[in-house]
Amino acid sequence: MPETIVAMWESEQYRADSLYNSWVLGRVNHGGNIIGCSGRLRDGEEFKSGHSYRFFGRWCKYRGKKGFSFSSFVEASPHSEIGITKYIAKNCKGIGAVTAKKIFDEFGNDSLRVMRYEPKLVSERCSIGLDKCNLASGVLENIVDHEAITVDLMSLISGLGVPESLIA
């Protein structure tokens, strides 16, 4: 099954060029872990060090190490504050708009990752009960597959009068 990851391009390790495309192996930072990432570039495509990309492909192993093999990619733009805070408030029971804003003010664009993987840190820094943070962490882990598109949609429809309940 195809998967999607968002990772920051660190460096190119190897490249094989042909007439119409190139195959590249590079290093990316995915959630604080440096992993190998490989795939084909179409003519004219290049990665920029320090830029984040959304890679579409599958997890693989190369020489015993976990990596990601992509079939396509797009440059990833950071989610907006409004999209992230609305997503948190909609999906995390007991966390409303004010608390979601407090979380965003503390962790910025990393809010969803921190809530999902470090609920204790969110609890300590934002004065939210640990049980509530653990529950939110579990919910966010279960719905991560559609997170990026849902956050983007919430940003786009904000202020247009479209009911948020229409977004799954």
Side-chain angles (χ1 to χ4, degrees), residues 1-5 55-59 68-72 145:
M1 173 175 221
E3 295 189 55
T4 303
I5 65 166
F55 295 96
F56 306 93
R58 62 181 175 78
W59 288 102
F68 196 80
S69 176
F70 64 87
S71 54
S72 62
D145 291 344

Side-chain angles (χ1 to χ4, degrees), residues 71-129:
S71 54
S72 62
F73 67 93
V74 294
E75 192 160 4
S77 57
H79 296 302
S80 71
E81 174 182 346
I82 197 157
I84 291 172
T85 56
K86 284 182 176 282
Y87 185 80
I88 291 169
K90 179 178 192 250
N91 292 293
C92 300
K93 186 177 180 178
I95 297 178
V98 172
T99 304
K101 168 97 170 83
K102 188 176 184 180
I103 294 166
F104 185 86
D105 289 345
E106 182 67 31
F107 299 106
N109 285 323
D110 210 21
S111 296
L112 294 168
R113 184 198 63 79
V114 175
M115 285 187 70
R116 191 171 26 261
Y117 300 118
E118 300 179 67
K120 186 176 179 188
L121 182 63
V122 175
S123 175
E124 292 168 354
R125 290 211 189 150
C126 299
S127 302
I128 305 169

